[in-house]
Amino acid sequence: MGTSDTTSADSARLGTPRGRRILRSTAAAVLITLGVVLAPVALTATTAQTILRDSDRFVETFAPLAENPAVQREVTAQVATAIDDAIDTPTLARELIGGLQTLDMPAVVSGRLALLEAPLAAGMQSLVHDVVERFVSSPAFAETWRGALRVAHTGINATIAGADGAVLVVDGPTVAVDLAPIITAVRGELVDRGITLASAIPEGVGPQIAVAEVEGLTQVRMIIVGLDIANAWLPVLVAVLLVAGILLAMSWRRAIFGTGVALLAIGLVLGAGLGIGRMFATGVAAISADAVGALFDAAAHQVSAGVAALTTLGTLMALAAWWAGPSRPARALRAGITDTAARLPLPASFRPIGAAVRGASPVLAGVLVAAMAVVLTLVRPFTPELVLTTGAVALLLLVVAVVLRAQKEPEALATPAPVP
């Protein structure tokens, strides 16, 4: 699998009539362009579908939010407000002061008691807030959050299908998260700590955190359901388009280099787009910008990893094309590797294997490329580690092939190679 095979194949293509060369080059460019453009679409669709359909991945994605200070502050504020509304602390304070005023006491003292009504209500509200804050920052909240996420995963799919029991509450264009499970857990915690007035909180009380304003939720549901189909076919389509474009090109090496550079560029653009999307999300959300930023980062984590994988793949493809190119450094590097491999003290029994490898180099190269494409297309998630591991295995196989190719018969070693 040396570069001479690729060079010979490219040279043979140059003998093709000019009209056919233009047609093939145009078709190859169109196929590669389509593949590169669809790559980020496939990446996003695959990530979204995995998070929505895989409970373990969903919990793994959003569980760390339980330890995020911004999310803790938002949940604390919402839960404390809901409990305060359910208990109605101003009314309780007023009734308590009124009860004391009915006791037999001097009029001046009874009159002064009214001044304590507002501080008493504020004190009860502060007490509830402190207990909720301690609970939300405790390991118990993290466990409650993980359990709620697993239940919520079923609810999200119910929301997509428009079924009952959805964890996402849709009111017109508003999509909100129901915090009833958190309220229930905090209610029990308050009662356990001796704040018996929390038992007055009705079962099922749950505030809603508005997440986004979405127009055309029906269309959104259709798109999300369509992710199942996109997840199954888009990555395969992208791989087929890119491989077909490279094979159809007049120069495989230049096509690989161009594809690598294009994937690297579109990965960088997509990464910048994620940053812009985060800024937009934090600017229009109904809850705190810090909390929305944390939610966005968690949801986009897998996409960010996929973007990094895309740029890594593009970089490796460009480097591979450079290594196979006609530049002086690349030729010197290849010659050095081949000379070193030829001097390895391998048994003579390896020489027939080397001859077979030399004869089947184009086929072996095609099999290696196809195997890499299958792995990168089907293995999920698509991460930089996956790309680097696949590239390392391919490089190891390439080194083995180079070593075997360099093992020639003694007479071949004695015959000086013609000067190109």
Side-chain angles (χ1 to χ4, degrees):
M1 285 182 284
T3 56
S4 58
D5 304 299
T6 304
T7 304
S8 300
D10 291 344
S11 299
R13 286 175 173 77
L14 295 178
T16 307
R18 184 173 181 273
R20 291 184 59 187
R21 290 203 308 270
I22 294 176
L23 182 62
R24 289 184 57 173
S25 297
T26 302
V30 170
L31 291 175
I32 292 175
T33 300
L34 287 175
V36 170
V37 170
L38 287 177
V41 179
L43 175 64
T44 305
T46 298
T47 302
Q49 194 272 349
T50 301
I51 292 176
L52 288 173
R53 299 305 188 194
D54 189 332
S55 294
D56 292 335
R57 184 60 52 78
F58 180 84
V59 173
E60 177 186 339
T61 298
F62 293 104
L65 290 175
E67 301 177 0
N68 185 279
V71 174
Q72 289 179 350
R73 287 193 298 270
E74 186 65 32
V75 172
T76 298
Q78 295 285 347
V79 170
T81 300
I83 292 176
D84 182 59
D85 292 342
I87 297 175
D88 195 3
T89 50
T91 300
L92 283 176
R94 185 165 53 254
E95 291 175 350
L96 178 59
I97 296 299
L100 290 175
Q101 288 175 333
T102 61
L103 299 177
D104 187 13
M105 62 180 62
V108 65
V109 176
S110 178
R112 296 285 178 87
L113 283 176
L115 299 177
L116 298 177
E117 182 178 320
L120 180 60
M124 287 191 293
Q125 291 170 345
S126 177
L127 177 62
V128 169
H129 185 278
D130 290 344
V131 172
V132 173
E133 187 176 46
R134 285 196 296 270
F135 174 76
V136 170
S137 61
S138 70
F141 171 70
E143 289 301 316
T144 303
W145 181 264
R146 291 183 67 89
L149 285 174
R150 196 164 292 279
V151 174
H153 183 262
T154 301
I156 288 176
N157 284 292
T159 299
I160 295 171
D164 294 334
V167 74
L168 294 184
V169 180
V170 182
D171 182 12
T174 301
V175 178
V177 179
D178 191 355
L179 292 181
I182 306 300
I183 292 290
T184 301
V186 172
R187 178 178 181 269
E189 183 73 13
L190 288 169
V191 173
D192 292 342
R193 290 177 179 236
I195 306 176
T196 56
L197 57 85
S199 61
I201 302 174
E203 290 288 346
V205 170
Q208 300 170 7
I209 297 181
V211 177
E213 298 292 323
V214 179
E215 297 292 345
L217 189 60
T218 301
Q219 288 79 0
V220 173
R221 285 172 177 157
M222 293 176 59
I223 292 173
I224 295 177
V225 172
L227 289 176
D228 290 337
I229 300 175
N231 177 63
W233 293 105
L234 264 184
V236 176
L237 178 61
V238 169
V240 169
L241 288 173
L242 293 180
V243 172
I246 291 173
L247 293 178
L248 194 60
M250 298 302 298
S251 171
W252 290 357
R253 184 187 63 79
R254 291 177 180 175
I256 292 174
F257 183 81
T259 302
V261 172
L263 289 176
L264 174 61
I266 204 165
L268 295 176
V269 170
L270 188 58
L274 286 175
I276 296 173
R278 189 183 193 279
M279 293 174 57
F280 177 78
T282 56
V284 300
I287 61 176
S288 70
D290 291 340
V292 172
L295 288 167
F296 185 93
D297 292 340
H301 174 72
Q302 291 297 331
V303 177
S304 299
V307 170
L310 205 63
T311 56
T312 302
L313 176 61
T315 302
L316 292 181
M317 291 179 66
L319 288 175
W322 171 86
W323 181 80
S327 67
R328 185 181 298 274
R331 293 171 62 186
L333 179 61
R334 295 197 302 268
I337 294 174
T338 302
D339 291 344
T340 302
R343 290 182 172 83
L344 292 177
L346 295 181
S349 57
F350 279 86
R351 291 170 184 166
I353 301 176
V357 170
R358 286 193 297 274
S361 287
V363 175
L364 294 177
V367 170
L368 179 59
V369 172
M372 291 179 62
V374 169
V375 170
L376 295 178
T377 300
L378 300 182
V379 176
R380 310 288 167 77
F382 183 61
T383 61
E385 292 78 11
L386 173 64
V387 174
L388 290 174
T389 301
T390 305
V393 172
L395 179 61
L396 177 62
L397 294 176
L398 181 61
V399 169
V400 172
V402 169
V403 171
L404 292 176
R405 281 173 55 91
Q407 308 306 309
K408 299 181 180 181
E409 298 297 333
E411 58 270 16
L413 295 175
T415 304
V419 178

